[in-house]
Amino acid sequence: MKTSQASSYRFIDPRTLAAIADLHLLAKTVVDGFMLGANQSPRPGVGLEFNQYRSYQPGDDLRCIDWKMYARSDRYFVRESEIETSITVRFILDASASMMHEEQGIMKFDYARFLIAALGYLANMQGEAIGLDAVNDETISHVPAKRDHQQLHRFLHELEQLRPHGRWPGWKNLESVFNGEQRRQLIVFVTDMHEEENEITAALSKLSALKNEVVLFNIIGRNETDFLYEGALTFEDLETGKSVQVDALRARTPYVAAMQNKLRVMKQTLHDLGVTNELFTLDQPLDFALRTYLTQRMKLA
Amino acid sequence: MIYFLQPLWLFAGLALTVPLVIHLLSRRSGKRIKVGSIKLLDDSQSQQWKSLKLNEAALLILRAALLTVLVLLLAQPHLKNDSTADDSSNQSWALIAPSLLSSPLKAVGLESVLDSLASAGYELRVLGPDFPPLSSFDAKINSSDEEDYWSLLREVDAIASAEAPLWVFTDDHLQNFRGERPALSNTVQWRTISSQRENRWIQNAWRTKNDSACLVIGFSDFRQTFFARYDVNVPTRKSILSESGMPAIEVIPNEDGHEFRMKLLQSDDHPDDDGFTLRDKEPQQNVLILHDVQREEDAKYVKFAFHVVAEYFRIPLEPKTEILKDGTRKNRGANIIFWLSSHPTPDDLLRSIEINGFVLVNDASTHEYERCKTEMIIESATSRPRLWRRINSTQQGFAVWTDGFGSPLLECEPLGEGWHYRFFSRYHPLWNELVLSPEFPEWIASLLDHNKSFASYRESDLGFSDQRRISAAQMMPAHRASEAQLISTSSSESLHLPVCILAALLFMLERWMAARQST
């Protein structure tokens, strides 16, 4: 019963998710489906939040014995609580115009928002501090990382308000936002990697240099990798507004080759920077992103 | 050879520029797709331009072909079948009228001309039905007096090619040129051979009295044809009449001496002319004009009109007038009766007309007239006498004359053997102008035609001896641009159906190809 339910939740098409207007509900749907049946195994230890009692065993720290329980039951019990391992997760969303790229009814920007909402929900549920920075060259929407109950609402509300616009700004504009934080944090960077002159790569390198764990979720369309267009077409660049006339059939081979090359180079560069790079196509369910997140989360534990 | 019935439609071929323009402009557009980045597409741009042009060129050619076929369809192409024209058009013709062939060619001075034409490659043919070659033509069998050179030339023009001039040799008798002067696409060299002939003939001859006769002699030469009238004494035996200005005439009585043949003496070119038999004197024609006292003047006009007719035709005609006292009168052997009275015509008079085949003429039967201001429409008349008064008409017979409004003015109705005329006006200058016009005695004379024996006085047959010539300026056919050559007797076939099928095929191909390109 449980498995069938799990599988039915597990692979929700992003297009189906797009029909859900409320990001909270969306995130809950995705995460609950994902986490269903998964065993949470927080490490037990000394902490503020009570978890369980267990009988004393030789080797246990005497300080951990609950003397009140001893008085009541005349037996040694050790009070255990979950170890506080919480970290700060910062989501950086590329809010430039190129994220408006749309395929099969779903926009890259929406996909990125679903992704961030789901991850944010999951992180919040697990007690992490979550923060959001949506970046383009006009505005930087900043939701500072916090751990309280209201944070998820702030987070999701901000996410809902965002609209893609403009381009990716230079590092100078971003410096002030990212340099202030001293703690080590997990940075989830969601972008399409469409850059004019390595500005996103530069930002990534700066961020990873600050001892952060950076995960790059590169969102890409199926048409962008495989160039599935046909006939004579005019392509318009969403950021620059330039257009180019192309006969799709003839352009396909050189384009696909160029794209493969670009991805290979990017992969190499990111690897050198120590950035974990994951490629998402727009028709891919979000579960994959959650699993990647959890893997990366483990590294920081 | 393909030609077009509506070549003006070929200008619609300018529509070919439309697909051309469309194809030129459509290269700029194309489905617009917004993508994140076009960085990777930049390199292949120039290549795409060329390939775009190439891909659509086939479609453009197809569309242009479709338009061309549609334009051809509108221009109504026909395939001219040249097979009939080929054999005759290669050689030019020299045509000789059969009337010139009745005498040896040398006599008319044609021999040398025809010889040189034949050596120049001309085919010698006869200007007659089917244009037989000159060598196989027998003038004695096929010769006929009357030809129509103009219509024959039209026929030649349709068959012969326009490359070399046509040579035509004919006489120049006016009677052989009839109808409308043709416009030919061939150049025509027309030579006429004049025969200096002057014709005289006896047109009519009849006795006016026992010992005298009236002769009408026709004269015709190259300028004119005219008729002269002579009063001659009729001899009792064979003799030659010669009066001043009159050609000498031989009078030959037959055996019993009652019948005379009159023959012109110098009719050398008509040896078979057996002369004209002198007509007998006509029996007296009695005309009775019955009138009221008020219409005495009318009666006078009618009476004098009869005098004029009698004098002109030299016929015995005795018009008598009589005043009607009690409105009744019996016919006493008159052939023509005028009843000029407001009294109705008595029945016994009508009956005698019915039986004896006489002519009765009534005029306005009442004194009540209506004023009008119109004309009398008389068929074949040179003038239109004005009409001021008339009475109402109730049509019974067929209308001979009408007034300017189309209502009958004189009507005629067969009455047994005879004829009954009703005139809805009067023979008086106060009523109309008829009695003062030349149409009046003319009409009076036509009344006499109801008497069959008398009709022969007026018959005429002028055709055969007309010797007038046509001038060269009148004769030459107009020249016409040779594209008119296309409208010829040679058979042609409409290409409508095959062109339609081709257009449909092209259209389907174009749709299929366009659909394939757009997907």
Side-chain angles (χ1 to χ4, degrees), chain B residues 289-292 294-299 302 324 337-345 360-367 390-392 409-410 420-428 431-432 434 440 443:
Chain B
I289 302 160
L290 302 167
H291 62 91
D292 289 343
Q294 297 93 335
R295 305 198 187 187
E296 195 169 355
E297 217 168 323
D298 300 33
V302 176
L324 283 166
I337 302 164
F338 272 72
W339 182 268
L340 310 180
S341 165
S342 50
H343 294 289
T345 321
L360 173 71
V361 182
N362 282 37
D363 74 343
S365 53
T366 59
H367 292 294
R390 60 163 298 160
I391 63 161
N392 273 323
L409 200 60
L410 175 75
H420 188 190
Y421 282 84
R422 270 186 295 273
F423 184 50
F424 300 116
S425 185
R426 275 173 52 181
Y427 311 101
H428 197 278
W431 285 59
N432 51 51
L434 177 67
F440 187 47
W443 171 64

Tab-separated table of all heavy atoms in Angstrom, chain B residues 289-292 294-299 302 324 337-345 360-367 390-392 409-410 420-428 431-432 434 440 443:
chain	number	residue	atom	x	y	z
B	289	ILE	N	-65.487	58.002	-110.089
B	289	ILE	CA	-65.271	58.718	-108.835
B	289	ILE	C	-66.612	59.275	-108.402
B	289	ILE	O	-67.132	60.208	-109.003
B	289	ILE	CB	-64.248	59.845	-109.025
B	289	ILE	CG1	-62.923	59.257	-109.548
B	289	ILE	CG2	-63.992	60.578	-107.713
B	289	ILE	CD1	-62.037	60.259	-110.213
B	290	LEU	N	-67.162	58.694	-107.351
B	290	LEU	CA	-68.462	59.122	-106.848
B	290	LEU	C	-68.214	60.008	-105.644
B	290	LEU	O	-67.439	59.638	-104.749
B	290	LEU	CB	-69.281	57.900	-106.431
B	290	LEU	CG	-69.500	56.872	-107.547
B	290	LEU	CD1	-70.032	55.570	-106.985
B	290	LEU	CD2	-70.452	57.435	-108.580
B	291	HIS	N	-68.870	61.164	-105.613
B	291	HIS	CA	-68.559	62.072	-104.509
B	291	HIS	C	-69.778	62.860	-104.087
B	291	HIS	O	-70.728	63.029	-104.841
B	291	HIS	CB	-67.426	63.019	-104.906
B	291	HIS	CG	-67.763	63.898	-106.071
B	291	HIS	ND1	-68.321	65.125	-105.913
B	291	HIS	CD2	-67.595	63.704	-107.398
B	291	HIS	CE1	-68.508	65.673	-107.116
B	291	HIS	NE2	-68.077	64.817	-108.030
B	292	ASP	N	-69.709	63.362	-102.814
B	292	ASP	CA	-70.725	64.293	-102.312
B	292	ASP	C	-70.483	65.649	-102.948
B	292	ASP	O	-69.437	65.885	-103.555
B	292	ASP	CB	-70.578	64.456	-100.796
B	292	ASP	CG	-71.018	63.203	-100.059
B	292	ASP	OD1	-71.718	62.399	-100.690
B	292	ASP	OD2	-70.630	63.038	-98.879
B	294	GLN	N	-69.976	68.244	-101.209
B	294	GLN	CA	-68.911	68.891	-100.437
B	294	GLN	C	-67.526	68.429	-100.880
B	294	GLN	O	-66.534	69.054	-100.565
B	294	GLN	CB	-69.074	68.571	-98.939
B	294	GLN	CG	-70.349	69.101	-98.326
B	294	GLN	CD	-71.457	68.033	-98.375
B	294	GLN	OE1	-71.425	67.137	-99.240
B	294	GLN	NE2	-72.460	68.172	-97.519
B	295	ARG	N	-67.490	67.300	-101.536
B	295	ARG	CA	-66.170	66.746	-101.843
B	295	ARG	C	-65.857	66.844	-103.329
B	295	ARG	O	-65.155	65.988	-103.880
B	295	ARG	CB	-66.089	65.296	-101.390
B	295	ARG	CG	-66.437	65.153	-99.914
B	295	ARG	CD	-65.982	63.859	-99.316
B	295	ARG	NE	-66.507	63.764	-97.941
B	295	ARG	CZ	-66.183	62.818	-97.083
B	295	ARG	NH1	-65.327	61.883	-97.435
B	295	ARG	NH2	-66.706	62.823	-95.881
B	296	GLU	N	-66.342	67.855	-103.926
B	296	GLU	CA	-66.111	67.994	-105.358
B	296	GLU	C	-64.622	68.228	-105.646
B	296	GLU	O	-64.061	67.695	-106.599
B	296	GLU	CB	-66.933	69.181	-105.881
B	296	GLU	CG	-67.032	69.163	-107.391
B	296	GLU	CD	-68.047	70.166	-107.918
B	296	GLU	OE1	-68.727	70.797	-107.087
B	296	GLU	OE2	-68.121	70.295	-109.127
B	297	GLU	N	-64.032	69.009	-104.775
B	297	GLU	CA	-62.616	69.312	-104.973
B	297	GLU	C	-61.760	68.040	-104.810
B	297	GLU	O	-60.807	67.830	-105.568
B	297	GLU	CB	-62.166	70.371	-103.959
B	297	GLU	CG	-61.176	71.338	-104.543
B	297	GLU	CD	-60.976	72.537	-103.625
B	297	GLU	OE1	-61.951	73.002	-103.005
B	297	GLU	OE2	-59.824	72.983	-103.527
B	298	ASP	N	-62.113	67.243	-103.851
B	298	ASP	CA	-61.394	65.978	-103.650
B	298	ASP	C	-61.437	65.163	-104.924
B	298	ASP	O	-60.424	64.591	-105.368
B	298	ASP	CB	-62.039	65.152	-102.528
B	298	ASP	CG	-62.033	65.874	-101.197
B	298	ASP	OD1	-62.147	67.111	-101.223
B	298	ASP	OD2	-61.904	65.203	-100.164
B	299	ALA	N	-62.636	65.089	-105.493
B	299	ALA	CA	-62.822	64.287	-106.701
B	299	ALA	C	-61.933	64.785	-107.828
B	299	ALA	O	-61.384	63.989	-108.605
B	299	ALA	CB	-64.283	64.320	-107.119
B	302	VAL	N	-58.355	63.544	-107.432
B	302	VAL	CA	-58.234	62.126	-107.772
B	302	VAL	C	-58.266	61.956	-109.278
B	302	VAL	O	-57.475	61.215	-109.879
B	302	VAL	CB	-59.359	61.315	-107.097
B	302	VAL	CG1	-59.294	59.869	-107.523
B	302	VAL	CG2	-59.236	61.422	-105.587
B	324	LEU	N	-73.112	62.312	-105.970
B	324	LEU	CA	-74.085	61.429	-105.335
B	324	LEU	C	-75.215	62.281	-104.798
B	324	LEU	O	-74.993	63.218	-104.042
B	324	LEU	CB	-73.425	60.676	-104.173
B	324	LEU	CG	-72.526	59.513	-104.556
B	324	LEU	CD1	-71.703	59.101	-103.349
B	324	LEU	CD2	-73.348	58.345	-105.045
B	337	ILE	N	-63.344	52.142	-108.355
B	337	ILE	CA	-64.381	53.059	-107.888
B	337	ILE	C	-63.877	53.792	-106.666
B	337	ILE	O	-63.381	53.171	-105.720
B	337	ILE	CB	-65.671	52.293	-107.528
B	337	ILE	CG1	-66.153	51.519	-108.747
B	337	ILE	CG2	-66.720	53.232	-107.007
B	337	ILE	CD1	-67.167	50.456	-108.408
B	338	PHE	N	-63.956	55.097	-106.688
B	338	PHE	CA	-63.666	55.913	-105.506
B	338	PHE	C	-64.990	56.358	-104.921
B	338	PHE	O	-65.806	56.954	-105.592
B	338	PHE	CB	-62.823	57.137	-105.907
B	338	PHE	CG	-61.355	56.866	-105.896
B	338	PHE	CD1	-60.781	56.062	-106.875
B	338	PHE	CD2	-60.545	57.396	-104.910
B	338	PHE	CE1	-59.437	55.806	-106.856
B	338	PHE	CE2	-59.196	57.129	-104.891
B	338	PHE	CZ	-58.630	56.333	-105.876
B	339	TRP	N	-65.215	56.062	-103.699
B	339	TRP	CA	-66.467	56.445	-103.016
B	339	TRP	C	-66.106	57.544	-102.029
B	339	TRP	O	-65.666	57.292	-100.922
B	339	TRP	CB	-67.061	55.219	-102.313
B	339	TRP	CG	-68.378	55.475	-101.612
B	339	TRP	CD1	-68.550	55.836	-100.317
B	339	TRP	CD2	-69.677	55.394	-102.183
B	339	TRP	NE1	-69.852	55.985	-100.024
B	339	TRP	CE2	-70.590	55.727	-101.159
B	339	TRP	CE3	-70.182	55.093	-103.467
B	339	TRP	CZ2	-71.971	55.752	-101.372
B	339	TRP	CZ3	-71.549	55.108	-103.642
B	339	TRP	CH2	-72.434	55.452	-102.616
B	340	LEU	N	-66.243	58.791	-102.468
B	340	LEU	CA	-65.854	59.918	-101.629
B	340	LEU	C	-67.114	60.505	-101.025
B	340	LEU	O	-67.682	61.444	-101.565
B	340	LEU	CB	-65.110	60.973	-102.453
B	340	LEU	CG	-63.966	60.448	-103.312
B	340	LEU	CD1	-63.308	61.587	-104.068
B	340	LEU	CD2	-62.930	59.739	-102.464
B	341	SER	N	-67.544	59.922	-99.920
B	341	SER	CA	-68.810	60.366	-99.345
B	341	SER	C	-68.858	59.944	-97.891
B	341	SER	O	-68.181	58.992	-97.478
B	341	SER	CB	-69.969	59.715	-100.109
B	341	SER	OG	-71.147	59.858	-99.360
B	342	SER	N	-69.685	60.675	-97.130
B	342	SER	CA	-69.874	60.275	-95.743
B	342	SER	C	-70.977	59.222	-95.649
B	342	SER	O	-71.170	58.633	-94.594
B	342	SER	CB	-70.202	61.488	-94.876
B	342	SER	OG	-71.239	62.215	-95.474
B	343	HIS	N	-71.660	58.996	-96.733
B	343	HIS	CA	-72.645	57.918	-96.708
B	343	HIS	C	-71.939	56.582	-96.731
B	343	HIS	O	-70.863	56.454	-97.328
B	343	HIS	CB	-73.547	58.010	-97.953
B	343	HIS	CG	-74.408	59.247	-97.952
B	343	HIS	ND1	-75.474	59.419	-97.098
B	343	HIS	CD2	-74.326	60.371	-98.716
B	343	HIS	CE1	-76.004	60.611	-97.323
B	343	HIS	NE2	-75.331	61.208	-98.291
B	344	PRO	N	-72.514	55.564	-96.085
B	344	PRO	CA	-71.902	54.228	-96.154
B	344	PRO	C	-71.990	53.675	-97.581
B	344	PRO	O	-72.924	53.986	-98.320
B	344	PRO	CB	-72.741	53.399	-95.172
B	344	PRO	CG	-74.020	54.145	-95.016
B	344	PRO	CD	-73.722	55.602	-95.234
B	345	THR	N	-71.009	52.872	-97.914
B	345	THR	CA	-70.992	52.290	-99.250
B	345	THR	C	-72.165	51.327	-99.395
B	345	THR	O	-72.355	50.473	-98.526
B	345	THR	CB	-69.673	51.506	-99.454
B	345	THR	OG1	-68.628	52.248	-98.827
B	345	THR	CG2	-69.366	51.324	-100.906
B	360	LEU	N	-62.209	49.147	-104.803
B	360	LEU	CA	-63.046	50.188	-104.221
B	360	LEU	C	-62.221	50.951	-103.199
B	360	LEU	O	-61.523	50.364	-102.385
B	360	LEU	CB	-64.257	49.557	-103.525
B	360	LEU	CG	-65.131	50.510	-102.722
B	360	LEU	CD1	-65.914	51.434	-103.654
B	360	LEU	CD2	-66.075	49.751	-101.819
B	361	VAL	N	-62.321	52.276	-103.312
B	361	VAL	CA	-61.559	53.091	-102.369
B	361	VAL	C	-62.522	54.018	-101.640
B	361	VAL	O	-63.274	54.745	-102.273
B	361	VAL	CB	-60.479	53.910	-103.081
B	361	VAL	CG1	-59.667	54.696	-102.076
B	361	VAL	CG2	-59.571	53.014	-103.890
B	362	ASN	N	-62.503	53.930	-100.335
B	362	ASN	CA	-63.314	54.849	-99.525
B	362	ASN	C	-62.406	55.912	-98.933
B	362	ASN	O	-61.225	55.683	-98.719
B	362	ASN	CB	-63.944	54.088	-98.366
B	362	ASN	CG	-65.132	53.280	-98.807
B	362	ASN	OD1	-65.110	52.728	-99.910
B	362	ASN	ND2	-66.127	53.201	-97.972
B	363	ASP	N	-63.006	57.041	-98.623
B	363	ASP	CA	-62.239	57.992	-97.823
B	363	ASP	C	-63.009	58.260	-96.538
B	363	ASP	O	-63.923	57.511	-96.195
B	363	ASP	CB	-61.886	59.257	-98.610
B	363	ASP	CG	-63.075	60.151	-98.788
B	363	ASP	OD1	-64.209	59.653	-98.596
B	363	ASP	OD2	-62.884	61.322	-99.131
B	364	ALA	N	-62.625	59.314	-95.848
B	364	ALA	CA	-63.194	59.581	-94.533
B	364	ALA	C	-64.708	59.464	-94.552
B	364	ALA	O	-65.384	60.148	-95.319
B	364	ALA	CB	-62.776	60.963	-94.065
B	365	SER	N	-65.222	58.582	-93.697
B	365	SER	CA	-66.644	58.298	-93.765
B	365	SER	C	-67.464	59.264	-92.929
B	365	SER	O	-68.663	59.188	-92.933
B	365	SER	CB	-66.889	56.858	-93.303
B	365	SER	OG	-66.274	56.692	-92.032
B	366	THR	N	-66.854	60.151	-92.179
B	366	THR	CA	-67.609	61.138	-91.390
B	366	THR	C	-67.020	62.526	-91.631
B	366	THR	O	-65.944	62.667	-92.216
B	366	THR	CB	-67.517	60.833	-89.884
B	366	THR	OG1	-66.151	60.860	-89.520
B	366	THR	CG2	-68.110	59.503	-89.536
B	367	HIS	N	-67.767	63.502	-91.142
B	367	HIS	CA	-67.247	64.878	-91.202
B	367	HIS	C	-66.453	65.219	-89.954
B	367	HIS	O	-65.803	66.242	-89.899
B	367	HIS	CB	-68.406	65.876	-91.358
B	367	HIS	CG	-69.075	65.743	-92.692
B	367	HIS	ND1	-68.439	66.038	-93.883
B	367	HIS	CD2	-70.313	65.320	-93.029
B	367	HIS	CE1	-69.256	65.814	-94.881
B	367	HIS	NE2	-70.421	65.374	-94.399
B	390	ARG	N	-57.456	63.889	-89.646
B	390	ARG	CA	-57.769	62.504	-89.940
B	390	ARG	C	-58.974	62.105	-89.111
B	390	ARG	O	-59.381	62.826	-88.200
B	390	ARG	CB	-56.594	61.582	-89.620
B	390	ARG	CG	-56.160	61.601	-88.172
B	390	ARG	CD	-55.315	60.415	-87.856
B	390	ARG	NE	-56.107	59.214	-88.055
B	390	ARG	CZ	-55.564	58.016	-88.227
B	390	ARG	NH1	-54.265	57.877	-88.253
B	390	ARG	NH2	-56.330	56.950	-88.367
B	391	ILE	N	-59.553	60.963	-89.461
B	391	ILE	CA	-60.647	60.462	-88.628
B	391	ILE	C	-60.142	59.244	-87.873
B	391	ILE	O	-59.090	58.687	-88.193
B	391	ILE	CB	-61.895	60.095	-89.482
B	391	ILE	CG1	-61.532	58.946	-90.437
B	391	ILE	CG2	-62.432	61.298	-90.218
B	391	ILE	CD1	-62.737	58.217	-90.956
B	392	ASN	N	-60.935	58.868	-86.896
B	392	ASN	CA	-60.539	57.693	-86.110
B	392	ASN	C	-60.627	56.442	-86.962
B	392	ASN	O	-61.533	56.293	-87.780
B	392	ASN	CB	-61.465	57.530	-84.910
B	392	ASN	CG	-60.949	58.347	-83.745
B	392	ASN	OD1	-59.747	58.439	-83.541
B	392	ASN	ND2	-61.877	58.964	-83.019
B	409	LEU	N	-53.464	54.575	-91.568
B	409	LEU	CA	-54.056	55.695	-92.271
B	409	LEU	C	-54.735	55.218	-93.539
B	409	LEU	O	-55.775	55.716	-93.934
B	409	LEU	CB	-52.954	56.703	-92.614
B	409	LEU	CG	-53.370	58.111	-92.930
B	409	LEU	CD1	-54.094	58.714	-91.744
B	409	LEU	CD2	-52.148	58.950	-93.248
B	410	LEU	N	-54.110	54.221	-94.129
B	410	LEU	CA	-54.715	53.578	-95.291
B	410	LEU	C	-54.620	52.092	-95.048
B	410	LEU	O	-53.553	51.578	-94.727
B	410	LEU	CB	-53.943	53.935	-96.573
B	410	LEU	CG	-54.421	53.222	-97.838
B	410	LEU	CD1	-55.717	53.803	-98.344
B	410	LEU	CD2	-53.361	53.265	-98.913
B	420	HIS	N	-60.514	46.203	-101.228
B	420	HIS	CA	-61.212	47.322	-100.613
B	420	HIS	C	-60.208	48.149	-99.816
B	420	HIS	O	-59.563	47.644	-98.898
B	420	HIS	CB	-62.320	46.792	-99.685
B	420	HIS	CG	-63.203	47.882	-99.155
B	420	HIS	ND1	-64.116	47.679	-98.163
B	420	HIS	CD2	-63.321	49.196	-99.507
B	420	HIS	CE1	-64.737	48.819	-97.889
B	420	HIS	NE2	-64.267	49.740	-98.704
B	421	TYR	N	-60.050	49.411	-100.223
B	421	TYR	CA	-59.124	50.313	-99.520
B	421	TYR	C	-59.929	51.279	-98.682
B	421	TYR	O	-61.004	51.735	-99.106
B	421	TYR	CB	-58.286	51.125	-100.517
B	421	TYR	CG	-57.154	50.346	-101.135
B	421	TYR	CD1	-57.362	49.541	-102.249
B	421	TYR	CD2	-55.866	50.429	-100.608
B	421	TYR	CE1	-56.341	48.830	-102.818
B	421	TYR	CE2	-54.827	49.712	-101.178
B	421	TYR	CZ	-55.062	48.923	-102.287
B	421	TYR	OH	-54.039	48.231	-102.840
B	422	ARG	N	-59.429	51.568	-97.502
B	422	ARG	CA	-60.066	52.596	-96.670
B	422	ARG	C	-59.015	53.619	-96.295
B	422	ARG	O	-57.969	53.278	-95.736
B	422	ARG	CB	-60.678	51.969	-95.418
B	422	ARG	CG	-62.093	51.540	-95.593
B	422	ARG	CD	-62.675	51.067	-94.276
B	422	ARG	NE	-62.000	49.882	-93.808
B	422	ARG	CZ	-62.359	48.633	-94.181
B	422	ARG	NH1	-63.387	48.452	-95.002
B	422	ARG	NH2	-61.702	47.602	-93.719
B	423	PHE	N	-59.321	54.863	-96.600
B	423	PHE	CA	-58.398	55.958	-96.319
B	423	PHE	C	-59.009	56.793	-95.211
B	423	PHE	O	-60.138	57.249	-95.340
B	423	PHE	CB	-58.183	56.784	-97.600
B	423	PHE	CG	-57.166	57.873	-97.429
B	423	PHE	CD1	-55.916	57.607	-96.882
B	423	PHE	CD2	-57.444	59.173	-97.848
B	423	PHE	CE1	-54.976	58.604	-96.757
B	423	PHE	CE2	-56.509	60.170	-97.718
B	423	PHE	CZ	-55.276	59.890	-97.170
B	424	PHE	N	-58.295	56.988	-94.114
B	424	PHE	CA	-58.877	57.666	-92.947
B	424	PHE	C	-58.571	59.162	-92.960
B	424	PHE	O	-58.297	59.754	-91.919
B	424	PHE	CB	-58.380	57.004	-91.668
B	424	PHE	CG	-58.743	55.555	-91.592
B	424	PHE	CD1	-57.772	54.573	-91.587
B	424	PHE	CD2	-60.078	55.157	-91.555
B	424	PHE	CE1	-58.102	53.244	-91.533
B	424	PHE	CE2	-60.408	53.832	-91.513
B	424	PHE	CZ	-59.429	52.857	-91.500
B	425	SER	N	-58.583	59.721	-94.159
B	425	SER	CA	-58.423	61.165	-94.279
B	425	SER	C	-59.101	61.521	-95.615
B	425	SER	O	-59.874	60.698	-96.150
B	425	SER	CB	-56.936	61.535	-94.261
B	425	SER	OG	-56.781	62.930	-94.255
B	426	ARG	N	-58.829	62.715	-96.153
B	426	ARG	CA	-59.443	63.045	-97.435
B	426	ARG	C	-58.392	63.497	-98.432
B	426	ARG	O	-57.264	63.824	-98.057
B	426	ARG	CB	-60.499	64.146	-97.241
B	426	ARG	CG	-61.855	63.591	-96.837
B	426	ARG	CD	-62.825	64.681	-96.484
B	426	ARG	NE	-62.926	65.694	-97.534
B	426	ARG	CZ	-63.700	66.759	-97.452
B	426	ARG	NH1	-64.427	66.950	-96.371
B	426	ARG	NH2	-63.746	67.636	-98.417
B	427	TYR	N	-58.750	63.478	-99.709
B	427	TYR	CA	-57.825	63.897	-100.767
B	427	TYR	C	-57.970	65.397	-100.952
B	427	TYR	O	-58.498	65.864	-101.954
B	427	TYR	CB	-58.097	63.138	-102.071
B	427	TYR	CG	-58.192	61.651	-101.865
B	427	TYR	CD1	-59.408	61.006	-101.797
B	427	TYR	CD2	-57.017	60.897	-101.702
B	427	TYR	CE1	-59.488	59.650	-101.584
B	427	TYR	CE2	-57.086	59.532	-101.491
B	427	TYR	CZ	-58.320	58.909	-101.437
B	427	TYR	OH	-58.383	57.574	-101.215
B	428	HIS	N	-57.537	66.114	-99.981
B	428	HIS	CA	-57.734	67.553	-100.010
B	428	HIS	C	-56.573	68.225	-99.284
B	428	HIS	O	-56.156	67.744	-98.238
B	428	HIS	CB	-59.074	67.914	-99.333
B	428	HIS	CG	-59.540	69.290	-99.666
B	428	HIS	ND1	-59.060	70.382	-98.997
B	428	HIS	CD2	-60.423	69.745	-100.590
B	428	HIS	CE1	-59.619	71.471	-99.505
B	428	HIS	NE2	-60.457	71.105	-100.487
B	431	TRP	N	-56.636	68.755	-95.601
B	431	TRP	CA	-56.504	67.600	-94.708
B	431	TRP	C	-55.062	67.104	-94.656
B	431	TRP	O	-54.553	66.746	-93.621
B	431	TRP	CB	-57.434	66.470	-95.176
B	431	TRP	CG	-58.870	66.727	-94.846
B	431	TRP	CD1	-59.604	67.784	-95.261
B	431	TRP	CD2	-59.696	65.934	-94.014
B	431	TRP	NE1	-60.866	67.711	-94.748
B	431	TRP	CE2	-60.954	66.563	-93.966
B	431	TRP	CE3	-59.529	64.753	-93.303
B	431	TRP	CZ2	-62.010	66.050	-93.234
B	431	TRP	CZ3	-60.589	64.235	-92.605
B	431	TRP	CH2	-61.830	64.894	-92.550
B	432	ASN	N	-54.454	67.070	-95.829
B	432	ASN	CA	-53.064	66.599	-95.846
B	432	ASN	C	-52.388	67.081	-97.117
B	432	ASN	O	-53.030	67.675	-97.981
B	432	ASN	CB	-52.996	65.075	-95.742
B	432	ASN	CG	-53.884	64.404	-96.760
B	432	ASN	OD1	-53.796	64.731	-97.950
B	432	ASN	ND2	-54.761	63.516	-96.328
B	434	LEU	N	-51.017	65.078	-99.261
B	434	LEU	CA	-50.870	63.936	-100.163
B	434	LEU	C	-51.113	64.311	-101.625
B	434	LEU	O	-50.319	63.992	-102.507
B	434	LEU	CB	-51.820	62.814	-99.734
B	434	LEU	CG	-51.836	61.581	-100.637
B	434	LEU	CD1	-50.501	60.868	-100.556
B	434	LEU	CD2	-52.961	60.643	-100.273
B	440	PHE	N	-48.850	60.613	-104.644
B	440	PHE	CA	-50.271	60.411	-104.921
B	440	PHE	C	-50.495	59.684	-106.259
B	440	PHE	O	-51.093	58.602	-106.282
B	440	PHE	CB	-50.988	61.757	-104.866
B	440	PHE	CG	-52.481	61.653	-104.971
B	440	PHE	CD1	-53.191	60.720	-104.206
B	440	PHE	CD2	-53.196	62.484	-105.824
B	440	PHE	CE1	-54.563	60.632	-104.297
B	440	PHE	CE2	-54.574	62.389	-105.917
B	440	PHE	CZ	-55.265	61.464	-105.154
B	443	TRP	N	-49.274	56.175	-106.089
B	443	TRP	CA	-50.182	55.226	-105.429
B	443	TRP	C	-51.354	54.878	-106.348
B	443	TRP	O	-51.772	53.742	-106.435
B	443	TRP	CB	-50.675	55.846	-104.116
B	443	TRP	CG	-51.775	55.066	-103.460
B	443	TRP	CD1	-51.683	53.806	-102.978
B	443	TRP	CD2	-53.113	55.475	-103.252
B	443	TRP	NE1	-52.866	53.392	-102.466
B	443	TRP	CE2	-53.782	54.406	-102.618
B	443	TRP	CE3	-53.837	56.655	-103.523
B	443	TRP	CZ2	-55.131	54.467	-102.262
B	443	TRP	CZ3	-55.174	56.705	-103.155
B	443	TRP	CH2	-55.805	55.619	-102.536
